[in-house]
Amino acid sequence: MQQRSLKTPSSPGAEPLLSRPQAIGLASVIWLALLCWLAFFNGLGTLGLMDKTEALFVEVGHQMLQRDDWVTPWWNGKTFFDYPVWGYWMVALSFRFFGISPWAARLPVALAASAVVVAAFLLLWQLAPALEKPRSRWMRAALGAGVLATSPGWIGWGRSSTTDMFLASAISLALFSFLWGHRLPARSPGLPVARILMAVFAGIAVLAKGPVGLLLPLLVVGAFVALTRSWDRWLRPAPLLAMTALFLGVVMPWYVAAAQANGQAFLGGFLAFSNVQRFTTVLYAHPGPPWFYLPWLLLLLLPWSLHLPVAVAHLGLTDRRRWRELLGGRSEHDPVPLFLLIWLVVVVGFFSAAATKLPGYILPAMPAAALLVGLGWRPFQASFPRGMGLRLSGWVEAVLLGILAGAAALAPRWAASDPAHPQFGAALADSGLPAILALVLGLTAAALVVALLGWPARARWFALPSLVGFLAILTLVVPPLAALIDRERQLPLRELATSARAEARTGEPLWVVGTKRYSTVFYAAETAAFVGDRQGILGRLQRDPASLGLEPSSRSVRLYGDRTDLDDLRLAPAQIERLDCRGQQELWRVPLAAFAPR
């Protein structure tokens, strides 16, 4: 039976409106635009700046714009060299073009996350065998990009303006460029372009978070070319020198300018403290065992991480004979899965060896894991996996989604137990969002069961329920839930910060008590001192009053924090002037004499 072509209604003999390649190209654009919109842009500004890392990071970019100082990062009245400058530049430029708002603060990071999703699609399309049908190429590329775009970790950090996504996206794009260039013929005009992209993105990674932005790609590429014995292509002096010069041209102008402007404060604060000490010692009370990142990899890539072991096995990466051929330099197998596995293992292993551990550190490993899952299901030349491994991981996913559906239904009851936000549980229940989330998760689990019961006839559509289900969550649940969280938890903090600014007297500092709500500095538009218990305040008053923002004219202070933390200061009721209150958050004014030693 011949396939019918789409023709114009007025001309029965006309050519099709779209050829098959054009139709697939249009479908690709629509699919990528939908993925990126739902994953990273839908509801981007519905949540105020989150305390601690995001609020701190955004305020540094804000200060760059206000001071018109594009070399030295500042935060809370002091220079801030924990991270280099790339992310701050992006936030400051976004503020300049779009105004100061959470939406503008998060736009650059959303674009970075989206760029990697698009690049993953294009890479899988480009690496496909030359004679493969366009439909098969499209399915593989769409699946790989879809797995990455619907991974909780990539979505979460792609909507949070911190340096982690800037580093992860730059490293990923540098390694994608290497993989593309590695598959090109030696005399291909695309090979110099791949080298240029590698150098530029590695430079951006170093501007985003320091030497680790170069070290990780070098470790991955070095391990790969050593195993595959492909040094000759990448160690030619002329291209290597050109790449080095381009890399230094991207990186060195700011590093030299920052060192000239700040001297030892920059060299010691950034290079020694934020890089060497972060790896060798535990900073900011963030330790972890060597296996710290294994459960986090599982969580950040759910539900796709459940299928990662099956994908690795199906791609032959557990085959001893293939490894012997590889180490002997005579392997004829496609090197892409091997490269992705090395990428994943090197990143997770590197940060597992570091003393300071945070979940976002392994974000650069997620594109490799996502593409391994996509290739495991739709490899370049092997058959689709239909065996017991994928069926078993499918049943595990279906059971897990069922459990999560039950947990979503109980979420309001658990949320009501938070003493800091006692009304949040009722607001969550009234919104109906837990029921919607439970329904979507339940339907996704049911669709998976249907696919599993129809095995192997429905095997090729096995990923579709998870993709559709998680896109539905991103459409129906995430934006209204973010708005609800903002109204119930973040808005009171912003209102109190604004009130603190309005109530300020000359020489009267603002002290944030207990929880370090870094968003106060952004929303109050003033510096603040972050204090703990009464004993700690008394110690700082004796040792370094300036660290508390005190001036010779200071006679009183404003205290901002949870009611419980404020009560723990043990101040006499007669000394307290309550300026404002939002739920459990309060703003007080007390005389400085209230902290005199008793």
Side-chain angles (χ1 to χ4, degrees):
M1 182 176 178
Q2 292 185 344
Q3 186 176 8
R4 298 177 61 184
S5 298
L6 181 62
K7 303 176 183 298
T8 57
S10 57
S11 305
E15 292 294 322
L17 293 179
L18 292 174
S19 65
R20 175 165 290 190
Q22 289 173 330
I24 291 177
L26 179 61
S28 302
V29 172
I30 295 173
W31 172 244
L32 290 172
L34 177 66
L35 276 179
C36 294
W37 171 256
L38 292 178
F40 311 114
F41 296 100
N42 188 23
L44 189 65
T46 53
L47 184 67
L49 294 180
M50 292 179 288
D51 274 310
K52 298 206 74 172
T53 306
E54 184 183 40
L56 184 153
F57 188 86
V58 169
E59 177 59 17
V60 176
H62 184 206
Q63 286 294 310
M64 277 198 158
L65 182 63
Q66 285 190 324
R67 295 170 178 267
D68 197 25
D69 182 353
W70 299 84
V71 173
T72 303
W74 289 82
W75 183 77
N76 204 24
K78 299 179 180 179
T79 56
F80 185 78
F81 293 122
D82 273 30
Y83 307 115
V85 77
W86 180 263
Y88 307 142
W89 281 348
M90 297 299 100
V91 171
L93 289 173
S94 185
F95 281 163
R96 169 166 287 182
F97 289 120
F98 302 107
I100 298 171
S101 68
W103 180 88
R106 295 176 179 132
L107 178 62
V109 79
L111 291 172
S114 300
V116 180
V117 172
V118 174
F121 180 95
L122 296 176
L123 180 70
L124 291 178
W125 180 277
Q126 185 66 31
L127 296 182
L131 299 179
E132 187 177 33
K133 295 181 179 179
R135 179 179 177 275
S136 180
R137 284 189 176 202
W138 189 91
M139 295 293 288
R140 179 189 303 110
L143 177 59
V147 168
L148 180 59
T150 55
S151 299
W154 206 253
I155 294 169
W157 271 273
R159 290 167 172 251
S160 176
S161 187
T162 64
T163 193
D164 297 291
M165 180 53 75
F166 290 115
L167 173 70
S169 61
I171 287 177
S172 299
L173 293 173
L175 292 175
F176 281 174
S177 301
F178 168 83
L179 192 52
W180 173 50
H182 187 78
R183 287 287 298 270
L184 291 173
R187 298 185 180 276
S188 170
L191 188 55
V193 177
R195 292 188 175 118
I196 290 172
L197 293 176
M198 283 177 60
V200 169
F201 286 124
I204 292 174
V206 172
L207 283 178
K209 209 164 184 175
V212 70
L214 176 64
L215 181 59
L216 282 177
L218 284 181
L219 289 174
V220 174
V221 170
F224 175 76
V225 298
L227 286 173
T228 57
R229 302 188 180 186
S230 53
W231 297 99
D232 57 330
R233 171 179 289 237
W234 296 102
L235 289 185
R236 296 177 181 176
L240 197 59
L241 287 174
M243 291 174 65
T244 302
L246 181 56
F247 168 81
L248 293 176
V250 172
V251 170
M252 293 309 295
W254 177 76
Y255 277 87
V256 170
Q260 289 178 340
N262 301 280
Q264 185 59 35
F266 168 71
L267 296 175
F270 171 67
L271 294 176
F273 176 77
S274 293
N275 287 273
V276 177
Q277 289 191 36
R278 193 180 296 270
F279 189 86
T280 59
T281 60
V282 178
L283 298 182
Y284 307 122
H286 292 302
W291 58 87
F292 176 85
Y293 289 112
L294 296 182
W296 276 109
L297 181 64
L298 174 68
L299 291 173
L300 297 181
L301 198 65
L302 277 177
W304 313 109
S305 54
L306 300 174
H307 310 290
L308 181 59
V310 177
V312 170
H314 182 66
L315 292 169
L317 297 173
T318 58
D319 187 341
R320 293 183 180 180
R321 182 174 56 83
R322 181 173 296 192
W323 279 96
R324 284 196 297 269
E325 293 176 357
L326 178 67
L327 296 175
R330 58 182 186 276
S331 176
E332 299 297 328
H333 298 287
D334 195 297
V336 174
L338 172 65
F339 181 82
L340 296 174
L341 181 64
I342 292 173
W343 177 353
L344 174 63
V345 171
V346 165
V347 173
V348 174
F350 177 85
F351 287 113
S352 296
T356 302
K357 292 181 173 66
L358 285 169
Y361 287 178
I362 60 163
L363 207 61
M366 292 196 62
L371 265 60
L372 278 171
V373 173
L375 283 178
W377 284 349
R378 294 187 177 273
F380 290 122
Q381 293 176 333
S383 60
F384 187 87
R386 301 172 184 266
M388 282 298 299
L390 185 57
R391 294 182 67 183
L392 178 60
S393 63
W395 281 111
V396 172
E397 180 185 351
V399 171
L400 177 62
L401 293 179
I403 294 172
L404 291 176
L410 297 174
R413 184 181 303 175
W414 295 334
S417 63
D418 185 356
H421 303 277
Q423 304 302 318
F424 181 67
L428 186 61
D430 292 340
S431 70
L433 292 173
I436 296 174
L437 178 58
L439 178 63
V440 174
L441 290 171
L443 290 175
T444 305
L448 280 172
V449 170
V450 171
L452 291 165
L453 293 177
W455 204 271
R458 299 190 179 104
R460 290 190 174 275
W461 303 102
F462 181 67
L464 190 59
S466 298
L467 281 173
V468 172
F470 276 77
L471 290 176
I473 292 172
L474 290 171
T475 306
L476 302 175
V477 178
V478 171
L481 179 60
L484 175 65
I485 293 173
D486 183 70
R487 185 181 75 241
E488 297 294 326
R489 301 173 71 99
Q490 299 295 114
L491 180 60
L493 304 179
R494 295 201 300 274
E495 291 176 339
L496 274 184
T498 303
S499 181
R501 177 65 174 173
E503 295 284 351
R505 294 175 178 173
T506 302
E508 184 179 61
L510 174 64
W511 294 356
V512 180
V513 183
T515 303
K516 293 183 178 180
R517 305 196 183 282
Y518 292 158
S519 62
T520 306
V521 178
F522 181 83
Y523 289 114
E526 63 174 308
T527 60
F530 296 87
V531 299
D533 57 16
R534 181 183 182 88
Q535 198 62 35
I537 294 174
L538 293 177
R540 291 174 67 178
L541 283 171
Q542 294 175 357
R543 295 189 307 271
D544 188 11
S547 71
L548 295 171
L550 294 172
E551 302 175 5
S553 61
S554 299
R555 296 294 180 269
S556 61
V557 298
R558 289 161 295 153
L559 303 178
Y560 164 46
D562 294 346
R563 174 65 184 270
T564 303
D565 292 325
L566 293 170
D567 286 342
D568 286 344
L569 296 178
R570 304 189 305 277
L571 300 172
Q575 297 174 312
I576 300 171
E577 178 186 356
R578 287 180 169 82
L579 303 176
D580 204 348
C581 173
R582 295 290 189 278
Q584 297 296 309
Q585 314 296 317
E586 295 194 8
L587 177 67
W588 295 358
R589 172 178 286 123
V590 300
L592 186 58
F595 293 97
R598 295 174 181 174

